[in-house]
Amino acid sequence: MNNHSYPTPEIIEVCLLAGKLMMQNGAETYRVEDTMSRIASAYGISQSHSYVTPTGIFFAINDSEPATLIRIVERTTDLHKVTEVNSISRKISTGDLSPRAAVKELSEIECGPLRYSNRIQLMAAALASGCFMIMFGGVWRDFPAAVLCGGIGFAAVQYFHRLVKVKFFSEFSASFLIGLLAALLTIVGWGQMMDKIIIGSVMPLVPGLLITNAIRDLMSGHLVSGLSKGADACLTSFGIGAGVAVIISYM
Amino acid sequence: MLAQLFTSFIATAAFGILFHAPRRSLLQCGFVGMLGWLVYYSTTDSMGPVSASLLATILIGIVSQGFARLYKMPVIIFSVAGIIPLVPGGMAYNAMRQFVQQHYPQALELAMSTLMIAGAIAVGLVLSEVLNQIFHSIRFKPQR
């Protein structure tokens, strides 16, 4: 590859956009840093430094250019976008893509529609709740109840999240609804084991992935990322636990 | 047992949809999840949940890396789907519930085991990566 054939600001833009997209959609911290430095070196810049945290990315490539910062406000898990950024970075390292074209493709990914419609996601969450209830030792008689609670809980968390942009509140109210519904179904006689139904139904909400990712980041030396992901996970499980506990304490 | 296999497959594939995994990877996600749950479920009584999670995660990691190479997709797609049944999300929620109900001893106990299991899963993922690297460096060294 010929050295510095592209203007540096363009290269920085590509790196930052790729990093932001990956971090927003649930990639691991080390993978984001790795991808950014690979893209930079594919464009002929051997020295690049990135500092990646869940809420922002710093990136600097040489002494003459100032370091740049990009803020990450919202984080979800969308592995399809991570895959697409990955394949673009692969294309860049084989030298098939200029920075300008790469920026264009990355922005298309950013604005791209969700892979699965809301209805399919809702069905998947409901089905997963029922299956988790069985896996955690529930009985098949409770399957419809768990499916119902899980589906309503997932719909509620999305609805409330659109209503108020506070993550804690939407998780609290969704798990409150789940607890209420599970208690009602048990009283009516549609469900037998209220505890199992609740655990199955909150599974689509609990931050299991976040907990594991947090410890993983801590072990690989990304201390800031690890701690902030851990705090995020604690807050989420606190919201869910509190929501259900309100119901249980009145039972 | 059959019910466990069936439900873990469905649950993992469904989680693949929640995480927006590419459509052509859903079956493989379900398979990885089923495999991990099979190992965990059959060893957890004799080994305890922490070692069982470690063992299951190492296997998940190795299979995921194989799939990632085979289908040219990031490892995270398969490994995340695979560890979903193992992650102590239910336990984290239970611990928080005990805290909120002011049962502090049980809450602390549950929180500690949540951390231990999450740690075991993270160690398992890293370990399988290291094993994979060692394996490839031994296999490909003579050709370089």
Side-chain angles (χ1 to χ4, degrees), chain A residues 26-28 30-31 77-83 86 90 114-116 120-122 124-125 127-128 130-132 134-137 140 143 154 195 198-199 202-204 206 208-209 211-213 215-216 219 234 237-238 240-242 244-245 248-249, chain B residues 3-4 6-24 26 37 41 72-81 83-85 87-90 92-94 96-97 99-101 114-115 118-119 121-123 125-126 129:
Chain A
E28 310 101 301
Y30 79 86
R31 188 185 296 281
T77 309
D78 187 339
L79 295 179
H80 184 76
K81 287 184 179 170
V82 177
T83 316
N86 205 50
R90 211 169 271 163
L114 289 175
R115 193 93 307 237
Y116 301 100
I120 291 181
Q121 278 196 55
L122 187 64
L127 202 60
C131 291
F132 273 119
I134 299 290
M135 283 160 75
F136 293 148
W140 280 103
F143 195 78
F154 187 77
D195 229 33
I198 292 179
I199 290 193
V202 295
M203 271 311 274
V206 293
L209 171 64
I211 297 174
T212 312
N213 252 350
I215 297 198
R216 185 129 189 248
M219 285 201 314
C234 273
S237 42
F238 179 70
I240 296 171
V244 175
I248 286 178
S249 54
Chain B
Q4 293 286 332
F6 179 69
T7 47
S8 58
F9 186 89
I10 301 284
T12 318
F15 253 92
I17 293 178
L18 290 186
F19 288 155
H20 300 276
R23 200 160 292 167
R24 61 200 172 92
L26 287 182
W37 184 249
Y41 193 73
K72 295 212 165 32
M73 287 190 238
V75 189
I76 188 173
I77 292 180
F78 305 108
S79 57
V80 159
I83 61 173
I84 279 296
V87 290
Y93 142 79
N94 246 337
M96 276 303 166
R97 205 186 81 189
F99 267 122
V100 177
Q101 287 180 310
T114 304
L115 268 185
I121 292 174
V123 170
L125 280 179
V126 173
E129 224 162 84

Side-chain angles (χ1 to χ4, degrees), chain A residues 34-51:
Chain A
D34 185 55
T35 305
M36 286 168 78
S37 70
R38 263 166 210 259
I39 292 177
S41 71
Y43 286 139
I45 287 156
S46 51
Q47 282 269 318
S48 67
H49 298 279
S50 55
Y51 177 65

Side-chain angles (χ1 to χ4, degrees), chain A residues 188-210:
Chain A
V188 171
W190 281 24
Q192 270 180 323
M193 302 151 96
M194 189 181 113
D195 229 33
K196 301 284 184 221
I197 297 178
I198 292 179
I199 290 193
S201 321
V202 295
M203 271 311 274
L205 313 180
V206 293
L209 171 64
L210 214 51

Side-chain angles (χ1 to χ4, degrees), chain B residues 1-4 9 16 19 26 38 40 44 50 59 65 68 73 76 84 86 94 96-98 104 116 122 124 133 140:
Chain B
M1 192 68 206
L2 212 63
Q4 293 286 332
F9 186 89
F19 288 155
L26 287 182
L38 176 69
Y40 175 81
T44 184
V50 177
L59 196 70
Q65 261 145 19
M73 287 190 238
I76 188 173
I84 279 296
L86 306 178
N94 246 337
M96 276 303 166
R97 205 186 81 189
Q98 301 285 357
Y104 296 118
M116 286 292 284
Q133 276 171 18
F140 294 124

Side-chain angles (χ1 to χ4, degrees), chain B residues 26-131:
Chain B
L26 287 182
L27 280 182
Q28 290 88 315
C29 287
F31 177 74
V32 176
M34 188 176 78
L35 197 69
W37 184 249
L38 176 69
V39 173
Y40 175 81
Y41 193 73
S42 49
T43 56
T44 184
D45 283 336
S46 52
M47 296 167 70
V50 177
S51 335
S53 306
L54 182 67
L55 193 70
T57 317
I58 293 177
L59 196 70
I60 287 170
I62 292 173
V63 174
S64 309
Q65 261 145 19
F67 277 176
R69 233 165 260 271
L70 200 62
Y71 298 103
K72 295 212 165 32
M73 287 190 238
V75 189
I76 188 173
I77 292 180
F78 305 108
S79 57
V80 159
I83 61 173
I84 279 296
L86 306 178
V87 290
M91 206 180 252
Y93 142 79
N94 246 337
M96 276 303 166
R97 205 186 81 189
Q98 301 285 357
F99 267 122
V100 177
Q101 287 180 310
Q102 303 186 336
H103 301 153
Y104 296 118
Q106 291 99 311
L108 275 181
E109 202 183 308
L110 279 170
M112 273 327 285
S113 29
T114 304
L115 268 185
M116 286 292 284
I117 293 177
I121 292 174
V123 170
L125 280 179
V126 173
L127 211 60
S128 65
E129 224 162 84
V130 172
L131 283 177

